[in-house]
Amino acid sequence: MSDDAPLLDRSKAAKPLPKPGILDIHAYVPGKAKAEGFAEPIKLSANENPLGSSPKAQAAYESAERSLHVYPDPRASIVREAIAAKLRIEPERLIFGCGSDEVFALLNQAFLEPGDNMVQGEYGFAAFAIGAYACQAEVRHAREPGFRIDVDELLKCVDARTRLVFLANPGNPTGTWIPFSEVRRLHDALPPSVVLVLDGAYGEFALDPTFDDGIDLARNSSNVVVTHTFSKLHGLAALRIGWGYAPLEIAQAIDRIRLPFNTSIPAQRAAVAALEDEDFQQASIALNETWRPWLTQQLGGLGLDVIGPSAANFVLVGFPKIPGHTAAEADAFLASKGLLVRGVGNYGLPDHIRVTIGLEAHNRALVEALIEFMAPTPPASSQGA
């Protein structure tokens, strides 16, 4: 563009205009919650806890009914103290948000400006990118060979304008994970000016001894942030509360731009109670450990490609590109049976669906429906006239 070329003057536009690029962002698409003809479909589309939430958390939530006229503690002090005591970390280094999604958005807002870039895997969680695009930054997607994060591919995308690298481990929607040795190798290779964000939304379900959520790495580093949520293991998705553990300077920067009352009194009280209810946590993990391998084996036996092994509370399932047996047709067929799963075409995975691990009855109903769906289609000449 020449120096005297006209620039867009947004102040003289015929109507208010948002920043460039905002209207090009694809809004987040949640998992389906309704199926036509079913008042209460089986919802395996949003990775919610099939056991619900801790009875202790429910009681704590109910205790907040007489405090609805009071502003919540902007520091979420009771949750801050509970997490710090449980994990033996510094309370002043904790960040709280309306779900971990808000923590991602705040990190993008704090570090990205036009011309900067952030890096994530090609199948990375959509919320990472939405926040970066809102800051007019570039989003770079590193290849995931075999549906798995590859450290070398991430590093290929890093340059002098990279400010953030987001790594969900286990990943969503893939469910795959990398051992901590690879996380450390990634961190060691990053410039000190790049913040590595380790999203551990599903980390509690990853039981392999080589898995680590990175808390100790964050404890001793100036450029690592670890995030967690109360939505998955603890079953508090409706209350929207998540947290991050960051270097003190980053935590202080986030507090300067965070909205003051971003977590509610019911959410704070329920989160503390959920954190204390280890029986509920163990029951949730045990359910997942029982039915995830069963579902993987059953779906594999139908000729479907179950990506993995998954270390989350869901599996990603690949379908053949055969008319009548595609992922989109499977999604629609299951919905017609009152079974809701997650189509992931918006993640660049049009041949896959994501399935939450449910209760025994849910998992068996899903398999029975897919047995029917995957049955060979009779030749046209044999079908009824």
Side-chain angles (χ1 to χ4, degrees):
M1 180 183 294
S2 64
D3 290 341
D4 56 355
L7 297 174
L8 174 64
D9 186 347
R10 293 163 67 211
S11 68
K12 296 181 179 179
K15 58 183 178 180
L17 292 176
K19 293 188 298 184
I22 294 294
L23 296 180
D24 295 326
I25 297 173
H26 295 290
Y28 182 79
V29 180
K32 297 191 296 293
K34 296 180 180 180
E36 187 175 352
F38 293 88
E40 295 185 9
I42 296 173
K43 189 182 177 190
L44 303 175
S45 59
N47 300 338
E48 295 154 337
N49 190 322
L51 295 180
S53 56
S54 159
K56 295 179 180 179
Q58 294 174 27
Y61 172 83
E62 292 170 1
S63 75
E65 65 179 2
R66 295 185 181 277
S67 302
L68 299 184
H69 63 295
V70 179
Y71 282 109
D73 172 10
R75 295 280 295 165
S77 298
I78 59 173
V79 196
R80 183 181 302 272
E81 293 165 6
I83 292 174
K86 187 176 182 70
L87 300 180
R88 298 181 181 180
I89 55 181
E90 308 89 327
E92 64 274 13
R93 291 176 57 178
L94 289 168
I95 303 163
F96 291 91
C98 179
S100 51
D101 299 3
E102 187 185 20
V103 178
F104 306 145
L106 289 167
L107 287 166
N108 280 317
Q109 186 179 346
F111 286 97
L112 295 176
E113 60 184 35
D116 289 338
N117 68 74
M118 79 81 156
V119 176
Q120 65 178 64
E122 67 177 307
Y123 307 122
F125 182 42
F128 301 157
I130 289 173
Y133 287 132
C135 297
Q136 297 180 278
E138 178 189 0
V139 176
R140 296 183 174 179
H141 296 88
R143 290 179 60 251
E144 293 188 40
F147 305 93
R148 190 179 306 276
I149 285 291
D150 184 300
V151 167
D152 295 313
E153 293 294 332
L154 286 172
L155 292 171
K156 287 178 185 178
C157 296
V158 174
D159 66 12
R161 293 301 300 269
T162 304
R163 297 290 176 262
L164 294 161
V165 174
F166 281 91
L167 170 59
N169 198 30
N172 175 25
T174 63
T176 58
W177 61 285
I178 59 174
F180 186 65
S181 58
E182 284 295 277
V183 176
R184 185 176 290 281
R185 183 167 75 87
L186 171 62
H187 177 250
D188 289 345
L190 288 174
S193 59
V194 176
V195 178
L196 175 60
V197 184
L198 301 175
D199 172 19
Y202 299 94
E204 292 91 347
F205 297 105
L207 303 184
D208 189 284
T210 63
F211 176 84
D212 191 300
D213 69 352
I215 286 286
D216 286 335
L217 181 63
R219 190 194 314 270
N220 300 306
S221 303
S222 62
N223 64 336
V224 176
V225 177
V226 172
T227 66
H228 280 277
T229 180
F230 283 91
S231 297
K232 305 304 179 186
L233 176 67
H234 300 291
L236 300 183
L239 296 183
R240 311 308 304 127
I241 182 165
W243 59 275
Y245 176 58
L248 182 60
E249 295 80 4
I250 293 178
Q252 291 174 334
I254 295 301
D255 264 341
R256 284 164 168 76
I257 60 174
R258 174 185 57 81
L259 294 176
F261 306 110
N262 61 337
T263 62
S264 68
I265 290 175
Q268 292 175 18
R269 292 187 186 180
V272 172
L275 202 65
E276 295 171 351
D277 194 343
E278 295 189 0
D279 288 342
F280 180 82
Q281 296 168 38
Q282 290 305 312
S284 300
I285 292 170
L287 178 91
N288 200 59
E289 285 295 294
T290 297
W291 291 102
R292 185 178 60 198
W294 181 87
L295 195 59
T296 298
Q297 186 272 334
Q298 293 290 315
L299 297 181
L302 294 176
L304 301 174
D305 181 21
V306 184
I307 305 304
S310 171
N313 67 340
F314 60 86
V315 291
L316 182 67
V317 186
F319 285 76
K321 299 179 182 180
I322 301 173
H325 290 162
T326 65
E329 289 166 311
D331 189 354
F333 178 83
L334 291 170
S336 75
K337 301 288 187 179
L339 290 156
L340 298 179
V341 296
R342 179 68 181 266
V344 285
N346 59 316
Y347 281 92
L349 294 163
D351 301 320
H352 295 75
I353 60 172
R354 192 192 68 189
V355 181
T356 306
I357 308 303
L359 299 175
E360 177 178 358
H362 302 161
N363 301 325
R364 292 190 183 278
L366 178 86
V367 169
E368 289 300 316
L370 285 175
I371 289 173
E372 181 181 350
F373 173 75
M374 292 300 294
T377 303
S381 60
S382 68
Q383 294 178 358

